[in-house]
Amino acid sequence: MSILIPIFSVVKKEWRIMLRYPSWFISFIIWPIIFPFGYIFTAKALSGMESSSLAQFQSIAGTTDYVTYMLIGTTIWMWNNTMLWSFGSSLRMEQMRGTLESNWLCPIPKISILFGYSVSQLLMSLIYISLSVLEFMIFYDFKFVGSPLLALLILLVSVPSVYGLGFIFASLVLWVKEANSMVFLVRGIISIFCGISYPLAVLPSWMKPISKFIPMTHSVNALRAVISTGATMDDISGEMLFLIISGIILMLLGLLAFFYTQRKAKTLGSLGHY
Amino acid sequence: MTSYAIEVKNLRKEFEIKKRNGFFKRNKKKEVFIAVDDISFQVKKGEIFGFLGPNGAGKTTTIKMISTLLRPTSGTAIINGINCVERPMEVLKILGTVLTGERSIYWKLTGRENLEYFAAMNGITGRKAQVKIDYLLTRFNLDKRADETVEKYSTGMKQRVALAKALIADPEILILDEPTSGLDPQSALNLRELILEIKEEGRTILLTTHYMEEADQLSDRIAIIDHGKIIAMDTPCNLKKGLNKTNIIVLELKDWNSSTEERIKGIPMVENITSRFDDIAQRWEVKIHMVNGNDSINDLITNIISTNNKIINFRVEEPTLEDVFISLTGKSLRE
């Protein structure tokens, strides 16, 4: 049996279940508009009503367009946030539903279940990001200075890092059986170290090296450079290389974490534990 | 080619117990709980093999090891000649498993969608899947509500979907863990009839239950398990025949206490005593196993009357599997 069959089946099943909760789509539409407001208003307050302090922001951020700056940061944060809640918590969710063991009884490579969840979440994120861009254009006067295709390429190159982290996270959550505190911890780290709402230049010196090791920092930096200042592929080649290498490493670590957790769960008998 | 569908040899499962002292401190000394203790048995092709025992006896742990969900500490489980630990994927292709509880299927999907999903996860797609799903929905009397979400189904219907799910890939061997647990009597009866029909198709069934009537009615052979060990294994008829020198005397009494029990235990020939209070009838039902009991019935009655106890009813029963269990362990299956 092709591994694609279980992957596609998981995607179809998850979308069917998701469509049974229509209220979810309302937040899907509203959230991209309201979520950046808090950050944009904070930036507006700090830059002064007449944008008198923007020169300082420009000197460290490379742009005066703090709205686009915030929109890019919050969108990437939200992508990671939804990935952690849905894909990262997927195995735990199956365990709580009571269906994890039923899936494990199917003659398939078990990793295909997690791949199915990642594809399902990736499709959801693509829709979310596309919808966000559309709404940003309408409500925030969002414009691409650089190439939209290059921005899309950055997102695609970021996928292995985001979902590699998701593989590790999904395995860990199955282990510790508590998703909430783990999501808060990981998204907190992303929020602080990746410069979601501020340039990394404002970080204390001990934090800066850490932020450089987090792939999301490079995704955000590259997207801001392309969208706000029109950077080209040559300008962001360093970021792209880091994303490719970190993506490979995180995916491998994610697969290792999954296989180790699967083996451990079979020994402890914890697949069916609530 | 082996004539056994399932061969279990010296299977053992140990779990490490983590005990806590207060909020944070954990006992450094590791304790081990033996859930399954060196059990061996074979299930012949085409038979229903019942695993009978109280809750916590090791039934579910055993079937989880057979169905590859749990790695044994030692010993082997062989399915149609295939080792469960070494080649789990091949084992899963010939096994259909229904685990205990009604949450093994997706409540937010319809019955049909559940079967579509699990068919695909077993490599069955397209027209072949649709034909199979329609057949199973009709056969299990689910067709009229096949397109409603499972959350609206009764417990019996959910269990039938779980059984249909296990049969979707046409497995040679079916493992059923407490299949009628939580069902009302009529639904349980219907499910037992379905299980017998499935057996008639030539499938091998390994069934766990703590209902003695169910084990008696369905099983060709039974293994009685307690504290992780198999303590008896034979056909239901032979297991009961082993008690043919034992009379099962059931007394319904107004009162029952430990001093009366000690007094009765002192009568020669009394082997085991179990008692339970019937809340509805407001009386005690005391079951006494006596060897060659006819000779000692007078002693029994005299002793009870001497305690000023009122005998409401008295009867002699044929041995059941429950009596076999009491005879072997000195306790009831319900304890």
Side-chain angles (χ1 to χ4, degrees):
Chain A
M1 174 174 43
S2 161
I3 194 170
L4 293 175
I5 295 174
I7 291 173
F8 176 69
S9 302
V10 171
V11 174
K12 192 172 164 188
K13 178 254 298 175
E14 278 308 300
W15 275 80
R16 272 177 166 165
I17 292 174
M18 205 162 56
L19 289 168
R20 306 268 145 90
Y21 296 96
S23 60
W24 184 87
F25 281 91
I26 298 167
S27 67
F28 206 78
I29 294 165
I30 294 172
W31 203 234
I33 306 168
I34 60 168
F35 181 62
F37 265 135
Y39 296 103
I40 290 168
F41 288 148
T42 306
K44 193 167 190 172
L46 292 171
S47 65
M49 293 306 282
E50 304 301 323
S51 301
S52 50
S53 304
L54 267 185
Q56 171 63 19
F57 178 77
Q58 187 181 16
S59 69
I60 52 175
T63 177
T64 54
D65 182 6
Y66 62 81
V67 174
T68 301
Y69 194 89
M70 297 298 169
L71 292 177
I72 293 166
T74 53
T75 304
I76 293 301
W77 184 87
M78 190 55 86
W79 179 22
N80 279 274
N81 185 42
T82 53
M83 183 282 292
L84 291 172
W85 279 121
S86 54
F87 168 56
S89 309
S90 57
L91 294 180
R92 178 65 185 144
M93 202 163 58
E94 290 281 4
Q95 199 173 36
M96 289 169 77
R97 280 175 185 158
T99 46
L100 187 67
E101 286 185 316
S102 290
N103 280 285
W104 245 251
L105 286 167
C106 298
I108 49 164
K110 307 307 177 252
I111 193 75
S112 62
I113 298 169
L114 211 46
F115 274 122
Y117 265 104
S118 66
V119 173
S120 168
Q121 210 282 326
L122 183 61
L123 288 174
M124 195 167 75
S125 293
L126 282 175
I127 295 171
Y128 179 83
I129 292 171
S130 306
L131 204 62
S132 298
V133 170
L134 199 67
E135 290 180 352
F136 293 162
M137 285 174 165
I138 297 167
F139 295 98
Y140 294 107
D141 196 25
F142 178 85
K143 287 185 186 74
F144 282 94
V145 177
S147 162
L149 283 178
L150 189 53
L152 182 65
L153 185 66
I154 297 165
L155 286 176
L156 292 177
V157 171
S158 304
V159 165
S161 303
V162 175
Y163 291 92
L165 178 70
F167 272 70
I168 297 170
F169 192 84
S171 307
L172 281 178
V173 169
L174 194 64
W175 188 288
V176 299
K177 296 193 168 54
E178 216 291 290
N180 296 16
S181 57
M182 299 277 287
V183 171
F184 292 137
L185 178 71
V186 175
R187 74 178 187 181
I189 290 169
I190 292 171
S191 178
I192 292 167
F193 284 93
C194 301
I196 296 302
S197 56
Y198 44 75
L200 293 175
V202 303
L203 288 179
S205 55
W206 68 269
M207 288 175 83
K208 285 177 187 166
I210 300 171
S211 74
K212 282 180 185 160
F213 277 100
I214 303 175
M216 290 324 106
T217 309
H218 298 269
S219 303
V220 172
N221 283 349
L223 281 169
R224 280 176 179 155
V226 170
I227 295 169
S228 296
T229 62
T232 62
M233 186 67 174
D234 285 344
D235 301 325
I236 58 162
S237 59
E239 265 87 8
M240 294 295 257
L241 187 66
F242 185 91
L243 285 170
I244 290 166
I245 293 168
S246 62
I248 293 168
I249 293 169
L250 282 171
M251 279 304 285
L252 288 174
L253 287 175
L255 292 175
L256 280 175
F258 176 80
F259 289 123
Y260 182 71
T261 302
Q262 183 190 352
R263 191 179 169 82
K264 197 78 181 166
K266 272 193 168 190
T267 305
L268 298 175
S270 58
L271 280 174
H273 288 181
Y274 187 77
Chain B
M1 192 71 180
T2 174
S3 61
Y4 294 117
I6 302 171
E7 293 176 86
V8 168
K9 200 172 178 187
N10 303 115
L11 202 63
R12 182 182 175 92
K13 183 64 193 177
E14 294 173 0
F15 292 109
E16 204 176 277
I17 303 171
K18 290 172 182 171
K19 286 192 176 174
R20 290 179 187 279
N21 292 334
F23 279 111
F24 302 111
K25 288 181 189 168
R26 184 180 281 174
N27 270 350
K28 282 183 180 168
K29 193 181 170 189
K30 288 177 183 173
E31 283 185 44
V32 170
F33 169 69
I34 302 166
V36 174
D37 192 0
D38 201 25
I39 64 168
S40 300
F41 62 91
Q42 287 105 15
V43 181
K44 294 174 198 157
K45 285 187 176 168
E47 78 172 340
I48 298 185
F49 188 88
F51 234 47
L52 177 68
N55 290 329
K59 305 185 297 288
T60 300
T61 305
T62 304
I63 66 155
K64 281 192 175 177
M65 286 191 278
I66 293 171
S67 57
T68 79
L69 288 174
L70 196 56
R71 184 180 288 270
T73 305
S74 60
T76 52
I78 310 284
I79 308 296
N80 270 4
I82 307 167
N83 189 304
C84 289
V85 175
E86 291 166 6
R87 291 148 68 194
M89 290 277 267
E90 287 172 59
V91 166
L92 289 173
K93 282 179 188 164
I94 48 174
L95 275 188
T97 306
V98 179
L99 294 172
T100 190
E102 51 189 303
R103 297 217 65 122
S104 61
I105 48 173
Y106 294 93
W107 285 25
K108 274 287 171 190
L109 296 183
T110 67
R112 187 188 303 281
E113 287 167 348
N114 265 288
L115 295 185
E116 275 176 15
Y117 174 69
F118 285 107
M121 297 296 265
N122 279 277
I124 306 161
T125 52
R127 180 80 193 131
K128 192 180 169 193
Q130 289 312 318
V131 170
K132 187 82 190 168
I133 290 163
D134 286 339
Y135 165 73
L136 286 169
L137 287 170
T138 309
R139 181 178 175 186
F140 289 169
N141 200 19
L142 293 160
D143 49 334
K144 289 185 180 67
R145 297 182 61 190
D147 298 311
E148 286 179 40
T149 49
V150 165
E151 63 193 344
K152 292 172 188 152
Y153 288 6
S154 66
T155 307
M157 288 176 76
K158 284 173 188 149
Q159 196 65 335
R160 275 182 278 150
V161 176
L163 190 56
K165 179 202 84 174
L167 287 171
I168 197 88
D170 220 0
E172 292 171 45
I173 301 163
L174 198 59
I175 294 182
L176 307 173
D177 189 16
E178 306 273 1
T180 61
S181 182
L183 297 189
D184 62 77
Q186 187 57 50
S187 301
L189 188 69
N190 294 344
L191 200 66
R192 282 175 200 150
E193 284 170 5
L194 271 176
I195 292 168
L196 285 172
E197 280 177 32
I198 293 164
K199 186 219 168 183
E200 289 307 308
E201 294 167 356
R203 294 182 216 274
T204 307
I205 299 173
L206 173 61
L207 160 94
T208 78
T209 182
H210 62 275
Y211 298 132
M212 56 174 178
E213 302 88 351
E214 184 167 281
D216 202 351
Q217 183 196 341
L218 295 178
S219 310
D220 297 306
R221 288 192 305 134
I222 287 173
I224 297 178
I225 184 167
D226 191 35
H227 294 302
K229 284 181 181 290
I230 291 178
I231 51 176
M233 186 160 54
D234 210 328
T235 63
C237 193
N238 284 346
L239 286 169
K240 287 183 282 187
K241 265 188 200 164
L243 290 181
N244 62 0
K245 284 186 179 169
T246 304
N247 291 86
I248 317 297
I249 293 155
V250 180
L251 292 162
E252 288 176 26
L253 301 170
K254 189 79 182 160
D255 296 304
W256 182 253
N257 55 45
S258 54
S259 67
T260 312
E261 186 170 335
E262 286 307 313
R263 198 179 175 119
I264 303 299
K265 275 182 181 167
I267 300 171
M269 313 295 183
V270 168
E271 277 192 330
N272 291 298
I273 302 173
T274 57
S275 59
R276 71 177 187 97
F277 186 70
D278 185 337
D279 280 327
I280 297 163
Q282 287 292 302
R283 64 184 62 167
W284 286 90
E285 190 179 278
V286 180
K287 190 178 259 193
I288 301 164
H289 285 190
M290 297 177 81
V291 181
N292 296 322
N294 293 342
D295 301 338
S296 300
I297 285 177
N298 277 345
D299 282 352
L300 179 66
I301 303 289
T302 308
N303 267 284
I304 288 171
I305 290 172
S306 70
T307 61
N308 291 327
N309 208 330
K310 188 180 174 188
I311 300 174
I312 300 164
N313 202 354
F314 174 95
R315 60 184 187 271
V316 179
E317 287 185 347
E318 288 295 310
T320 64
L321 288 175
E322 170 96 14
D323 296 309
V324 175
F325 188 80
I326 292 168
S327 163
L328 291 166
T329 65
K331 64 181 183 184
S332 164
L333 265 169
R334 295 184 194 92
E335 285 172 28

